[in-house]
Amino acid sequence: MTAARRLVVAAVIEHEGRILAAQRATPTELAGLWEFPGGKVEAGESAREALVREIREELGCEVRVGAEVLHPDGLWPINERLGMRVFHVGCADALPAVGSEHRAVRWCLPDELPGLDWLPADIAVAARLAEPAGHANSGIPRSPVAILNPVAKGYPRAVELLSAGAARRGWPMPVVLETSRQDFGGGQAESALSMGADLVIVGGGDGTVRAVAERLRGTGVEMAIIPLGTANIFARNLGLSPRRLEAAVEVAMDASGRPLDLGVARFRTAAVPTQASRDHLFLVLAGLGHDAETVLATRPDLKRRLGWAAYFESGVRHLVRPPVRMMIAVDGRPAHARAVWSFLVGNAGRIPLGIEIFPEARLDDGLLRTMEARVMHLWQWIPVAWVGLRRRADSPVLVHGVARRLVIEPEEPTALQLDGDVFGPVVHLEIDVDPRALMVRCPESLRKDI
């Protein structure tokens, strides 16, 4: 069995469009060669923490770690024992000085980098950075845009944190575009793209995030999230909490973008049964049946006072509704008849209260998870409630599956909800997964877990 490589980190330190190269002074066999400074990750450190420490020790300056310079195989190879992760970095205070480990430092334009005599492990990194696309995603955006809901409770605090964070990092202050009752974020996202935004920070609830994601889908422009809404289900799946806005802003400004999957729904409604809708995205959950009816019937006054907990009050009123009958075809196979309280399709795994409704779901595996809630009698809700308390959706009346494409036709027109927004009633529904279609800045702790 091959032993796991020990991890090394390296910094692409940037200032005013130039990149720092450091010339080694030691050891003798490496003296005179150039490198991107860094060092080994110690036990208990994250890669980003190690890089901040190494640059402080080697060059005497504080830095902010931005996006990662990704290698197709995950790690830039050094040798059989060592692998390297490389990050774009900005100076948080004074510029680096020559330390004891280096003879000199030099600030180079990206296209000047291949002309230096590099350490063998850094040659490929320098070549990547010299390419126009290699330096474009630096993590220090030239044109950041924030799309914020101005009526959200945390709006003033979000603006304050963004302004202070940009000033500390030497960023331009993000242009702030406000959502409205007429436009939840889609039009603002179009404006951001037309302005050349290379980072869009979304401050709002799931509806705002979904509206912006629909416009950023497939563009490669990174999205970051500051959770300011009622449920914030997608943000919670990323480990972001509305109670920790400071942490969310740090992730928005410092984390690496990661390509995540999107759920895509198209449907025909009872009002226009012959015309299919445009693509509608969902980032977490689609629900057809009484799940959607529950969302639709939630009282606005309770939602304002109780947040996501208000949905339970509506849910109790729908417990004894008769099952919804529908035909369901999975991945091109013949359709089968089902009678369910609700049919759910998940892109992410968690809903509020931390319940893992789809424990095996990942946001980047190109798959959707399905669940049939086959609850026909009131007493069957007892084991479902117990499942909720245990935060695992594995009751016998909750039947799970996996799919890439679904075609669903309810017997009667039925409401559809996508991440809490209700559509329909629909008479025909098609759902697909769009793999790795949205770049999202995620906390370092979730690098391998979502």
Side-chain angles (χ1 to χ4, degrees):
M1 181 179 294
T2 303
R5 288 175 172 174
R6 186 171 180 186
L7 184 60
V8 171
V9 287
V12 179
I13 302 176
E14 299 170 284
H15 179 66
E16 296 182 350
R18 295 178 183 267
I19 296 173
L20 182 133
Q23 190 178 40
R24 295 284 308 189
T26 60
T28 303
E29 63 271 19
L30 301 180
L33 299 179
W34 295 85
E35 70 171 359
F36 298 105
K40 293 179 180 177
V41 178
E42 302 296 341
E45 285 185 316
S46 71
R48 292 169 181 273
E49 291 169 342
L51 194 55
V52 171
R53 173 185 55 76
E54 286 286 348
I55 300 305
R56 182 187 302 126
E57 295 173 355
E58 286 188 18
L59 300 174
C61 67
E62 298 295 325
V63 295
R64 292 282 182 177
V65 182
E68 186 167 358
V69 183
L70 296 173
H71 187 277
D73 296 327
L75 295 179
W76 295 87
I78 297 178
N79 55 41
E80 292 182 354
R81 297 181 296 105
L82 297 174
M84 182 168 65
R85 289 178 64 186
V86 181
F87 295 88
H88 291 281
V89 164
C91 301
D93 56 4
L95 295 181
V98 178
S100 60
E101 296 187 22
H102 299 107
R103 290 180 179 175
V105 296
R106 180 183 298 181
W107 293 97
C108 304
L109 292 171
D111 59 5
E112 297 173 338
L113 295 173
L116 297 181
D117 192 6
W118 291 95
L119 292 176
D122 290 355
I123 293 173
V125 179
R128 170 72 65 82
L129 295 170
E131 300 170 0
H135 188 247
N137 185 21
S138 66
I140 303 172
R142 299 175 301 280
S143 303
V145 172
I147 298 175
L148 306 178
N149 181 351
V151 300
K153 183 178 180 180
Y155 171 80
R157 181 63 174 154
V159 173
E160 177 186 330
L161 289 169
L162 286 171
S163 178
R168 288 197 307 272
R169 292 163 175 80
W171 285 20
M173 173 59 192
V175 175
V176 175
L177 304 178
E178 296 182 345
T179 63
S180 67
R181 291 184 178 181
Q182 293 74 37
D183 194 334
F184 296 150
Q188 293 82 354
E190 291 284 2
S191 296
L193 292 174
S194 68
M195 293 159 58
D198 47 0
L199 170 64
V200 176
I201 302 171
V202 186
D206 290 300
T208 302
V209 172
R210 192 169 60 79
V212 174
E214 287 186 342
R215 299 308 197 278
L216 299 187
R217 172 190 178 191
T219 65
V221 174
E222 292 187 347
M223 183 175 78
I225 300 170
I226 304 175
L228 302 178
T230 301
N232 300 295
I233 302 176
F234 184 62
R236 292 176 191 274
N237 274 273
L238 300 181
L240 303 172
S241 169
R243 297 183 179 181
R244 302 181 64 233
L245 291 186
E246 294 87 348
V249 171
E250 292 292 308
V251 170
M253 292 190 155
D254 293 337
S256 300
R258 176 172 177 173
L260 302 182
D261 301 340
L262 295 170
V264 184
R266 294 169 298 279
F267 49 83
R268 299 199 298 266
T269 67
V272 191
T274 59
Q275 182 177 339
S277 71
R278 64 173 177 84
D279 285 1
H280 291 269
L281 299 187
F282 62 95
L283 295 98
V284 178
L285 187 69
L288 186 68
H290 295 310
D291 166 71
E293 296 287 352
T294 294
V295 175
L296 185 62
T298 300
R299 290 166 48 189
D301 60 325
L302 287 182
K303 187 175 179 180
R304 285 191 298 270
R305 284 165 37 210
L306 302 179
W308 57 263
Y311 296 114
F312 288 99
E313 184 272 344
S314 177
V316 169
R317 290 188 278 119
H318 286 76
L319 292 184
V320 294
R321 294 289 181 92
V324 179
R325 300 184 182 278
M326 58 185 72
M327 299 293 293
I328 302 173
V330 179
D331 293 336
R333 295 190 291 272
H336 291 277
R338 293 287 186 267
V340 297
W341 187 82
S342 191
F343 184 78
L344 304 179
V345 182
N347 184 44
R350 296 183 182 89
I351 61 174
L353 273 182
I355 298 172
E356 289 186 290
I357 192 168
F358 299 110
E360 305 303 321
R362 290 177 59 89
L363 278 163
D364 60 357
D365 63 358
L367 297 172
L368 298 169
R369 267 63 183 185
T370 65
M371 188 178 76
E372 300 172 26
R374 298 180 181 177
V375 183
M376 307 300 172
H377 307 285
L378 184 61
W379 61 266
Q380 289 179 313
W381 284 108
I382 297 173
V384 174
W386 173 242
V387 165
L389 291 173
R390 292 167 55 228
R391 301 189 179 187
R392 299 283 292 188
D394 53 4
S395 166
V397 297
L398 304 178
V399 180
H400 290 262
V402 179
R404 288 186 171 87
R405 186 170 195 275
L406 298 126
V407 179
I408 309 168
E409 289 193 349
E411 190 174 271
E412 300 290 339
T414 303
L416 167 71
Q417 68 92 1
L418 304 173
D419 291 342
D421 289 336
V422 180
F423 300 86
V426 305
V427 296
H428 180 91
L429 171 64
E430 298 178 10
I431 292 180
D432 298 276
V433 61
D434 191 355
R436 302 167 71 84
L438 183 68
M439 291 294 295
V440 182
R441 293 197 167 190
C442 304
E444 177 73 13
S445 60
L446 293 185
R447 179 178 172 81
K448 296 180 179 179
D449 296 336
I450 59 176

